[in-house]
Amino acid sequence: MRFRHPDGTTVHLAYCTNVHPAETLDGVLTQLRDHCEPVRRRLGRDRLGIGLWLAADAARTLDADPSALRTLRAELDRRGLEVVTLNGFPYEGFGAEEVKYRVYKPDWADPERLEHTTALARVLAGLLPDDVTDGSISTLPLAWRTAARDTGRHEKALRTLAERLDALEELTGRSVRIGLEPEPGCVVETTRDALAPLAAIAHPRIGVCVDTCHLATSFEDPHTAVDALTEAGVPVVKSQLSAALHAEHPHLPEVRAALAAFDEPRFLHQTRTATAVGLRGTDDLGEALGGDTLPDASPWRAHFHVPLHAAPAAPLTSTLPVLKTALTRLVGGPHPLTRHLEVETYTWQALPPELRPRARTQLADGIAAELTLARDLLTDLGLKELP
């Protein structure tokens, strides 16, 4: 979906396909048929943006075989879909029964992360619509915090990537930028954590992806976060529109019982609370619920991407207000600070059983409802939806 900002800039809105498990090119093509096109039809659009997640196998196939890339491009066109952004964070196995810490491998100290991201950039350059010259890729925020903090290797890899992206633009005329995606528990947990490593790299192709669920989970103020990035000259390459789980009174038994329904075995749900001495947290929701590890005198937020249009039932809610504030700051001013927006609710099948979609049609309905909400937020900010 495309929107015209009052300053004339085109802003792209997509939804991320990491909600649909697929490891191979055949799986991606099936996604387009079974999920993406039905969402487009529900929205009554001739064209729908999708933020593709390409696992390592699919990325290698597309990068190595020009005919495979042409096949994917033709299928996107045939189904009324377009791609300007990729989710390059998960490497593989994102549809596994248990993902947890594995999503942080390989990290930016591993040469395979550089090679995978380079392949994604080349693929994206070949998928961009004919009238679009700029693409974006979100990526792992360096590493999980307990990994060896080989800052030198991280910086070297990202500098090498920037050089490759420069060469790619010279060759293709397409500009691809990479955004580190701050996430709780990682080396780059907050937007402020991104400032030092990005200042060391100091390349306009390497910036930040602002995920509004992660922003909220870490209790970051959107205005403060964006101001710091702007003052440091760090580009917001893209923003993932997502909402975290919020518990206002975590000391109450009924609140803990409601939270327990979201404690599931597939994904990591880092949980945080803001205290007088700073942010406190656990790696997973079950750990927070299991004892006195996390203070419960103040609200808790958990890294669980809940549907944007359907906040959890009381006594829980979502951090949708943080998303709205961040979106206003990012695209509601005289000029947009980012042009790529991506709804990223990948946890539909991890919701409590009674909230999960029971069929593909229900999932398509839910994704369409999320995009409708995002569209309405954008038009309320003065952006005009384009055909």
Side-chain angles (χ1 to χ4, degrees):
M1 300 170 74
R2 299 186 185 193
F3 297 81
R4 183 76 68 204
H5 189 275
D7 77 345
T9 302
T10 299
V11 174
H12 294 263
L13 172 66
Y15 90 88
C16 187
T17 64
N18 62 354
V19 63
H20 313 305
E23 298 289 321
T24 65
L25 176 56
D26 285 344
V28 172
L29 296 174
T30 299
Q31 285 180 349
L32 304 185
R33 181 195 69 202
D34 291 350
H35 300 289
C36 302
E37 185 177 11
V39 171
R40 178 183 65 76
R41 292 186 181 280
R42 277 164 172 75
L43 291 166
R45 301 283 307 178
D46 292 331
R47 175 175 53 189
L48 176 67
I50 57 171
L52 270 182
W53 172 60
L54 297 172
D57 184 278
R60 281 192 292 265
T61 299
L62 291 163
D63 186 39
D65 184 354
S67 67
L69 186 59
R70 287 194 296 270
T71 296
L72 176 57
R73 175 65 185 270
E75 192 69 2
L76 288 165
D77 292 342
R78 187 165 78 88
R79 300 195 181 279
L81 306 168
E82 65 178 15
V83 175
V84 303
T85 188
L86 300 180
N87 186 332
F89 194 139
Y91 176 75
E92 62 186 359
F94 202 60
E97 291 185 3
E98 182 178 333
V99 178
K100 298 291 184 181
Y101 294 95
R102 288 187 294 170
V103 76
Y104 306 106
K105 293 291 187 177
D107 63 33
W108 275 100
D110 187 330
E112 181 51 35
R113 176 60 68 171
L114 171 61
E115 297 310 315
H116 175 60
T117 310
T118 302
L120 291 177
R122 288 193 289 254
V123 169
L124 180 57
L127 293 179
L128 287 174
D130 292 339
D131 61 344
V132 175
T133 58
D134 299 318
S136 63
I137 302 174
S138 47
T139 189
L140 177 78
L142 301 185
W144 183 251
R145 72 176 187 282
T146 57
R149 294 204 177 196
D150 198 337
T151 305
R153 292 183 71 179
H154 295 161
E155 291 179 5
K156 182 179 179 181
L158 288 168
R159 285 196 184 97
T160 299
L161 177 65
E163 292 170 0
R164 293 178 180 180
L165 296 176
D166 286 341
L168 181 65
E169 182 175 18
E170 186 174 345
L171 179 66
T172 66
R174 304 297 180 89
S175 173
V176 176
R177 296 190 298 166
I178 307 297
L180 301 183
E181 182 184 331
E183 175 166 318
C186 292
V187 171
V188 175
E189 173 157 343
T190 67
T191 53
R192 185 164 294 280
D193 293 336
L195 300 181
L198 291 177
I201 297 162
H203 197 289
R205 294 197 192 278
I206 313 294
V208 163
C209 168
V210 175
D211 183 301
T212 58
C213 170
H214 303 172
L215 192 80
T217 301
S218 294
F219 287 86
E220 288 195 81
D221 173 69
H223 292 294
T224 302
V226 174
D227 285 347
L229 293 172
T230 302
E231 290 168 10
V234 173
V236 180
V237 171
K238 66 186 281 190
S239 179
Q240 288 172 325
L241 307 182
S242 51
L245 192 62
H246 180 95
E248 186 69 19
H249 302 292
H251 65 285
L252 297 176
E254 60 270 27
V255 175
R256 292 202 171 217
L259 283 170
F262 288 84
D263 178 26
E264 54 83 38
R266 186 172 172 187
F267 298 111
L268 207 59
H269 301 296
Q270 302 93 313
T271 305
R272 299 288 185 266
T273 187
T275 72
V277 294
L279 205 64
R280 294 280 301 277
T282 60
D283 283 356
D284 214 345
L285 180 56
E287 183 183 352
L289 292 169
D292 299 325
T293 308
L294 198 62
D296 60 7
S298 299
W300 286 3
R301 289 177 179 172
H303 173 215
F304 195 119
H305 291 220
V306 296
L308 302 187
H309 68 292
L316 304 179
T317 188
S318 80
T319 60
L320 183 62
V322 176
L323 183 160
K324 291 179 177 179
T325 301
L327 190 63
T328 299
R329 186 69 177 83
L330 289 170
V331 301
H335 305 287
L337 301 181
T338 187
R339 287 169 288 151
H340 293 174
L341 306 171
E342 179 183 64
V343 171
E344 197 214 10
T345 305
Y346 59 83
T347 44
W348 282 93
Q349 298 302 337
L351 290 167
E354 67 276 11
L355 302 179
R356 295 175 195 168
R358 294 185 296 277
R360 287 205 306 258
T361 54
Q362 290 181 317
L363 178 58
D365 288 342
I367 293 170
E370 290 191 294
L371 286 167
T372 297
L373 182 147
R375 178 192 65 195
D376 292 346
L377 291 177
L378 290 172
T379 56
D380 286 348
L381 290 172
L383 281 73
K384 180 182 178 181
E385 186 176 7
L386 299 176

